[in-house]
Amino acid sequence: QQQVKQSPQSLIVQKGGIPIINCAYENTAFDYFPWYQQFPGKGPALLIAIRPDVSEKKEGRFTISFNKSAKQFSLHIMDSQPGDSATYFCAASRQGFNKFYFGSGTKLNVKP
Amino acid sequence: KAGVTQTPRYLIKTRGQQVTLSCSPISGHRSVSWYQQTPGQGLQFLFEYFSETQRNKGNFPGRFSGRQFSNSRSEMNVSTLELGDSALYLCASSIRDRNTGELFFGEGSRLTVL
């Protein structure tokens, strides 16, 4: 049973577009929701994270929207660039447990 | 500051063999976690160690084991390898043992089982 479901599996946008990646979770005990970015041959790196006490968090061109009642959260990338082409993973964890459940990943391709 | 270092980066084994992977966390990080990454399953949690103690464990068979040393370095071992164990094994370290900080991942050890 997958604890965090992520969509779409892949996404192609033009430079300057706003790709949106969605995640849904079931366990209401989750209280930390990070997004990781992974380039080929590299390990994932933290992009941005949110806790359920806020509905939105923005860092640079990256924004997380969080809907606690729907148990969904999403990543928006403003003014996307070819350098943003990577695989993005959402994740979730519970307070007191350093154990993360990852989504299946979204491969983003930003065309010049 | 050096990042998380994993060795070896690539290895090829045959079914039935066993393998040991090594991870050196970022200096000062006491929590080390291991994840298996495959195209079909994404990243799946194997186990987490803090101060030489296993704190959390994922849903993997007993063939997968790990340990942490007093200097926080960690090893994971897979015995009696199966074809399905072919994957990228990622180690991640964090400064605390609670989910209050980010995971810093290494570049992984890519295991191919023939």
Side-chain angles (χ1 to χ4, degrees):
Chain A
Q1 180 189 2
Q2 196 167 9
Q3 299 258 6
V4 179
K5 294 182 180 179
Q6 182 174 346
S7 63
Q9 192 173 10
S10 63
L11 195 51
I12 301 173
V13 299
Q14 293 294 131
K15 177 184 174 183
I18 306 176
I20 300 173
I21 305 170
N22 300 298
C23 285
Y25 64 97
E26 288 297 324
N27 191 339
T28 55
F30 288 153
D31 68 343
Y32 180 65
F33 303 89
W35 284 89
Y36 281 82
Q37 179 188 55
Q38 185 178 30
F39 292 104
K42 301 293 184 182
L46 180 68
L47 198 58
I48 185 173
I50 197 168
R51 294 196 182 273
D53 52 346
V54 296
S55 60
E56 186 176 280
K57 184 175 181 180
K58 185 175 181 180
E59 286 186 6
R61 295 184 294 107
F62 300 93
T63 299
I64 300 179
S65 298
F66 188 85
N67 186 330
K68 188 174 180 179
S69 60
K71 293 185 287 186
Q72 294 176 347
F73 57 110
S74 60
L75 176 71
H76 298 61
I77 305 176
M78 304 300 182
D79 187 28
S80 59
Q81 302 296 312
D84 296 329
S85 297
T87 300
Y88 293 81
F89 293 93
C90 61
S93 68
R94 290 173 53 191
Q95 177 68 33
F97 291 84
N98 205 19
K99 173 181 180 179
F100 289 79
Y101 296 88
F102 282 82
S104 54
T106 297
K107 188 171 184 179
L108 171 66
N109 184 4
V110 181
K111 292 189 172 296
Chain B
K1 199 173 188 180
V4 176
T5 304
Q6 292 189 244
T7 57
R9 290 292 313 279
Y10 303 91
L11 64 166
I12 300 174
K13 294 285 187 179
T14 56
R15 279 181 301 173
Q17 287 187 311
Q18 66 108 22
V19 66
T20 299
L21 309 177
S22 179
C23 172
S24 293
I26 292 172
S27 177
H29 287 195
R30 296 167 62 191
S31 171
V32 174
S33 303
W34 288 88
Y35 288 81
Q36 181 194 65
Q37 185 174 17
T38 58
Q41 299 294 322
L43 281 92
Q44 291 192 293
F45 176 81
L46 281 155
F47 27 66
E48 183 227 353
Y49 287 87
F50 181 80
S51 293
E52 303 178 64
T53 301
Q54 188 180 91
R55 299 294 291 268
N56 294 290
K57 191 176 188 304
N59 296 322
F60 280 82
R63 300 185 298 106
F64 292 81
S65 63
R67 59 177 176 169
Q68 186 180 34
F69 303 94
S70 58
N71 62 358
S72 294
R73 190 177 70 85
S74 176
E75 289 181 348
M76 68 162 282
N77 183 277
V78 188
S79 62
T80 319
L81 285 166
E82 301 177 359
L83 295 178
D85 296 334
S86 295
L88 180 67
Y89 290 89
L90 291 163
C91 168
S93 73
S94 62
I95 198 165
R96 286 185 285 261
D97 67 324
R98 307 298 181 185
N99 65 340
T100 53
E102 69 180 280
L103 295 177
F104 292 83
F105 283 91
E107 294 188 334
S109 293
R110 184 165 295 281
L111 170 65
T112 301
V113 181
L114 302 176

